[in-house]
Amino acid sequence: MESKSSQATNVVRFPGARSSANPRRDQRSLMDAVYAAGFLPIEAHDRATKVMATRLTIFGFVVIDEMQADGTLRRLRPSEAFHACTARPWRISKPSGRYRIEDRIPETDRELFAALQA
């Protein structure tokens, strides 16, 4: 006599261990790695990571700087990042505050930003 489970299941377990989160494999891990490190370099030919970083840029979670031939960095807008080629490496980083108040603002103009400080 065979013993079968009384409940049918539609879940198929694939053999092997589940891979752990890798910053190069999923958006959340990539974003967490960038926030923890401050910035993360991406090699020029790493298209998969660049695509994930572009998606995160569109939503404002990270910013992308493209490394120029002379070593300087140029900030890419999301539309530029979407169409950027794999010719140059990138550096993705956590965006700075969009509405940050700096000390250079004259005291007379600080009242314009009072609502942002609350």
Side-chain angles (χ1 to χ4, degrees), residues 6-70:
S6 61
Q7 295 180 349
T9 180
N10 62 356
V11 177
V12 177
R13 175 152 165 59
F14 292 101
R18 199 177 255 191
S19 65
S20 62
N22 183 341
R24 304 293 185 181
R25 290 191 185 153
D26 68 61
Q27 290 179 171
R28 175 62 189 237
S29 296
L30 179 63
M31 188 176 72
D32 289 344
V34 169
Y35 278 50
F39 74 91
L40 191 68
I42 300 177
E43 297 176 15
H45 65 277
D46 191 353
R47 184 164 171 73
T49 305
K50 284 185 172 185
V51 168
M52 280 190 284
T54 300
R55 280 190 227 124
L56 292 172
T57 300
I58 290 169
F59 293 114
F61 294 123
V62 298
V63 293
I64 298 174
D65 295 311
E66 184 178 52
M67 179 80 69
Q68 301 298 304
D70 63 356

Side-chain angles (χ1 to χ4, degrees), residues 27-118:
Q27 290 179 171
R28 175 62 189 237
S29 296
L30 179 63
M31 188 176 72
D32 289 344
V34 169
Y35 278 50
F39 74 91
L40 191 68
I42 300 177
E43 297 176 15
H45 65 277
D46 191 353
R47 184 164 171 73
T49 305
K50 284 185 172 185
V51 168
M52 280 190 284
T54 300
R55 280 190 227 124
L56 292 172
T57 300
I58 290 169
F59 293 114
F61 294 123
V62 298
V63 293
I64 298 174
D65 295 311
E66 184 178 52
M67 179 80 69
Q68 301 298 304
D70 63 356
T72 61
L73 296 173
R74 183 178 75 89
R75 179 71 37 99
L76 296 178
R77 294 187 310 263
S79 60
E80 290 177 311
F82 186 74
H83 296 292
C85 67
T86 56
R88 294 192 174 110
W90 285 1
R91 185 181 85 167
I92 58 174
S93 55
K94 178 181 173 182
S96 61
R98 192 172 192 178
Y99 300 107
R100 186 178 61 195
I101 297 176
E102 299 179 2
D103 293 331
R104 296 180 294 167
I105 297 175
E107 190 65 37
T108 56
D109 293 340
R110 286 197 180 267
E111 67 186 46
L112 299 173
F113 299 97
L116 298 176
Q117 294 178 8

